[in-house]
Amino acid sequence: MGQPPTHKPDFKRGACRGADTNLFYPDFEDGVGKKNKERECREFCANCDIQMDCLIYACENEEFWGVWGGVSEKLRRKLAKSKEYHVWGAKKCIICNNKFMPTKTNSIVCSSKCRQKNNRIKAIKNKAKAKERVKNG
C-alpha cells in the first residue's frame, strides 16, 4: 500500500454522505448499467466540496475499486502514478454552466445534449465566417 496522505478528507462533508454506497461500486454492472451508475456517481462528485481531496486520498491509498472523487478505477490507477489530479477536478459546462466531472481531459460540456448545442453553435459561427470570407473576397 502507498504512503498515507498527510490530509484525510472530512468525509462528513461529502455530497455522497447518506447515499447508498452500492452506487459508488458499479463494477458489478455491465455495459449501460455500469455507465449509468458511473454517470450518477460523477454527478454527486461534481457538486462535492471535497471532490479533489477524495480523489487524492483514494489514489494515495490505492483505493482502486469503485468511483472515488468522480473518477473510475482505471483512471485512478493512472493518476496514482502521474499525480496529475488537477486535470480531473469538476468543471463548468460552457453551455449550461452546470458543474460536471470530465470523462476526458478536454471535456467542456456536461452532456450529449450540451455537446449537440455546442456543435450547432460552432457550425453557425463557421458558416458566418465562411460568408464573411466570401464577402471580403
Side-chain angles (χ1 to χ4, degrees):
M1 187 171 259
Q3 292 287 5
T6 56
H7 170 71
K8 183 176 180 181
D10 181 3
F11 290 115
K12 292 177 187 171
R13 292 181 35 236
C16 60
R17 184 171 183 221
D20 180 2
T21 55
N22 289 324
L23 171 67
F24 295 90
Y25 297 94
D27 302 334
F28 296 116
E29 301 284 335
D30 288 329
V32 175
K34 183 174 183 173
K35 287 188 185 289
N36 287 338
K37 272 190 162 185
E38 286 178 345
R39 185 177 305 114
E40 195 172 341
C41 292
R42 287 192 306 270
E43 288 174 16
F44 269 99
C45 298
N47 294 292
C48 183
D49 293 336
I50 65 165
Q51 178 268 323
M52 188 57 65
D53 290 339
C54 181
L55 172 60
I56 293 169
Y57 175 84
C59 290
E60 289 180 349
N61 285 281
E62 298 179 1
E63 291 283 355
F64 297 132
W65 188 42
V67 175
W68 287 71
V71 177
S72 68
E73 170 187 336
K74 183 178 179 180
L75 181 54
R76 276 198 322 280
R77 286 184 184 279
K78 291 179 184 177
L79 285 175
K81 293 176 184 173
S82 73
K83 309 284 190 231
E84 293 178 345
Y85 308 119
H86 65 281
V87 175
W88 298 103
K91 295 182 177 183
K92 276 201 174 195
C93 178
I94 65 166
I95 299 298
C96 70
N97 284 326
N98 285 338
K99 286 179 89 177
F100 73 101
M101 289 302 303
T103 55
K104 298 178 181 175
T105 56
N106 61 349
S107 295
I108 57 173
V109 293
C110 65
S111 65
S112 58
K113 182 178 176 181
C114 286
R115 185 176 302 106
Q116 290 170 349
K117 188 170 184 177
N118 188 48
N119 288 341
R120 285 193 301 271
I121 291 168
K122 281 183 189 177
I124 290 167
K125 287 180 179 179
N126 287 339
K127 191 173 184 180
K129 284 180 185 177
K131 282 184 180 181
E132 187 65 29
R133 281 193 300 268
V134 169
K135 180 181 170 184
N136 292 331

